[in-house]
Structure formats: structure tokens, C-alpha cells
Amino acid sequence: MPRTAAVVGGGTMGAGIAHVLLAAGDLVTIAESGAERAAAARELVAASLKKAEDRGKLDRPASELLERLDVVPDIDQLPATTELAIEAVPEDAALKRQVFAAVRAACPDALLASNTSSLSVRQLGDDVIGMHFFNPVPVQALLELVVHDDLDPAHVVRARDWAESLGKTVIEVRDSPGFATSRLGVAVGMEAIRMVEEGVASAEDIDTGMRLGYGWPMGPLRLTDLVGLDVRLSIAEHLTRELGPRFTPPDLLRNKVARGELGRKTGRGFFDWSS
């Protein structure tokens, strides 16, 4: 019998998570807010699967996998038999708590997981585990499992087993601000932005230095463009509140966000994505 999974939020991350669940043979339901956003989520997943098929990365045709996908316009329409429910909505703790309250009502037996990249998982619920995927989800091998003291150890085992079945390499970290990856990634990203702000080097040269000198597959500034400057700013502000001024966002980042230069999704960030 195929496993049943739900993803709440059908944006870039949610669609990517749905993609890897479908590719693993799971039955997947995406919950979005309204029919229009639900239709857009389906299109994102379909495009992602087709791209993977064209690159020879799928064991079965994309059209066959899409038959295992359902998209609903409200959380209360998720199947009651859902075994795993992953939240992938914006980084707003209050919103995420609302999502989990609705999921508990709709899917009482589901393992609850959050894809948050920086918020306290424990504050989202005693029964919530962090399953932090990385963008683009179908390509990135890493999954950060975030655990806290109130979590049932059986939940950790279930989450790890499911993550590994998706072909992910799992690292386990304690629930603390930024976990391991966001904390280190934001620290490097903020320093790279300060270097651009101070005229130390161009964004292109800083990224080239990190790629060729340290073996990064992508430089910290291009990665910031991919993640979204607004997302990076929000995480940096959160880490500044929690951990201190060493994460303070540079004025250059704040100004770019204010101008709407949010990275690839708007066509410009530290690089030109318009073409």
C-alpha cells in the first residue's frame, strides 16, 4: 500500500516536497488557500516533474506520478488517513500554529512536520518535528531533522525513516535558532553582503572565490538571490533577536528589499535574472 502524505503550502518549497514524495511512490495531497492557488500549485509540481523526466531523473513518467497527486483548496479537505503532514507556509510562527491546529483536526494520526528554516519547532507544538528541506528540493540531498526535548522519540524515528526513503541524507540538530544550516549560511551571507557594501569585491568575484576556493557549489550571494532577499532578511532579523548583533542585516540588504530587488523571483537581486 502506498503511504499517504500531505503538504500544506504549494509554493516553491511545497511543490518541491510534493515532487520528491511522489517520486518515492507516495500518494500526496497539497492543501492551498483557495482554488486559484491550488491550481497554481499543481502546475508547479507538474513542471518540476516534467523537468526531472526530461533530464532522465524519474523512474516513471511524470504523467503517471501526477495521477497520485491531489490538490485541495483548504486544509479541512485533507484525507483523514494522512500519515505524514508537512507544513511549508511562510515563516510566520502564528500562521504555522494555525496550520497545525487545522491539520490535527483533519488528520488526527499524521506525523506533523515543519519545513521552517529558522523558527523554534518546539513553539509550533510539542508534537511537531522539523523536517527542513533545501531548495531546490528534488536536487538537494540534505534534510535537516530538528528535534526538541518534548518530542516523542518515535516521531524522530518515523521522520528519519521517511526522509531517508526520499533519498535524503539526514543530519539531526537540536531545536535552536537557525538550527545548523541556516545559522551558518546566514552568517556567511551577511558577511558577503557587507563586503559588497564596503566595496571589498564584486558579488560575482566573492561568489567565485567561495566556489573555487572553498568548493561551494554556489556562492553565498547567488544563493541569497535564489532563496529570496526578503526571506534572508527575515531570517537574519530573527537570528539577531535570538542570538545577538553578529547577525544584524547590512543596510544594503534592507535597501534592496525596500526597492523590491528580491532576487530571482523579481528578476534582480545581487545579480540580474531578467534573461
Side-chain angles (χ1 to χ4, degrees):
M1 288 287 293
R3 300 175 303 186
T4 55
V7 180
V8 181
T12 299
M13 292 302 295
I17 294 168
H19 173 140
V20 297
L21 289 165
L22 290 166
D26 299 328
L27 297 174
V28 180
T29 303
I30 295 177
E32 255 296 356
S33 55
E36 185 175 338
R37 294 174 68 93
R42 178 180 287 279
E43 290 179 6
L44 275 178
V45 177
S48 181
L49 288 171
K50 183 63 169 64
K51 182 177 180 180
E53 181 181 41
D54 291 344
R55 296 174 60 198
K57 300 296 184 181
L58 295 181
D59 295 332
R60 283 167 286 183
S63 57
E64 182 180 323
L65 295 180
L66 274 174
E67 293 177 0
R68 295 172 172 264
L69 175 67
D70 191 18
V71 184
V72 297
D74 198 282
I75 293 173
D76 63 12
Q77 296 182 34
L78 290 174
T81 54
T82 297
E83 298 168 73
L84 170 67
I86 302 174
E87 164 276 310
V89 301
E91 291 286 85
D92 180 305
L95 173 61
K96 291 177 186 291
R97 285 192 290 268
Q98 291 174 8
V99 164
F100 282 120
V103 171
R104 288 185 192 96
C107 318
D109 298 321
L111 172 65
L112 303 182
S114 174
N115 183 54
T116 180
S117 59
S118 63
L119 298 176
S120 168
V121 175
R122 166 63 184 78
Q123 292 182 12
L124 303 181
D126 293 352
D127 53 349
V128 177
I129 189 168
M131 292 182 71
H132 179 204
F133 292 81
F134 291 79
N135 188 27
V137 179
V139 175
Q140 297 279 23
L142 181 65
L143 188 144
E144 192 173 35
L145 206 62
V146 185
V147 302
H148 53 84
D149 293 340
D150 294 322
L151 192 65
D152 184 339
H155 290 358
V156 182
V157 174
R158 287 177 65 193
R160 177 180 285 273
D161 288 347
W162 207 309
E164 290 177 347
S165 77
L166 303 179
K168 301 302 182 185
T169 297
V170 176
I171 63 170
E172 185 174 319
V173 301
R174 184 172 60 84
D175 186 18
S176 60
F179 316 137
T181 53
S182 292
R183 186 167 171 174
L184 286 170
V186 169
V188 174
M190 293 304 106
E191 190 58 30
I193 295 169
R194 288 188 194 95
M195 291 169 66
V196 174
E197 187 175 59
E198 296 168 5
V200 173
S202 68
E204 185 68 52
D205 284 351
I206 290 169
D207 274 12
T208 299
M210 294 305 291
R211 286 191 300 104
L212 301 184
Y214 287 86
W216 285 37
M218 181 184 300
L221 295 164
R222 194 169 294 272
L223 178 60
T224 296
D225 275 9
L226 181 64
V227 171
L229 275 68
D230 52 338
V231 175
R232 270 291 168 95
L233 175 59
S234 177
I235 295 172
E237 289 175 333
H238 171 70
L239 293 180
T240 300
R241 290 191 297 270
E242 296 292 330
L243 298 173
R246 64 188 184 277
F247 291 97
T248 301
D251 288 341
L252 176 59
L253 177 59
R254 294 186 186 279
N255 293 340
K256 280 184 170 292
V257 170
R259 291 196 298 268
E261 297 177 12
L262 307 183
R264 187 174 68 172
K265 60 189 173 184
T266 60
R268 179 173 295 278
F270 288 96
F271 297 92
D272 184 357
W273 299 86
S274 58
S275 60

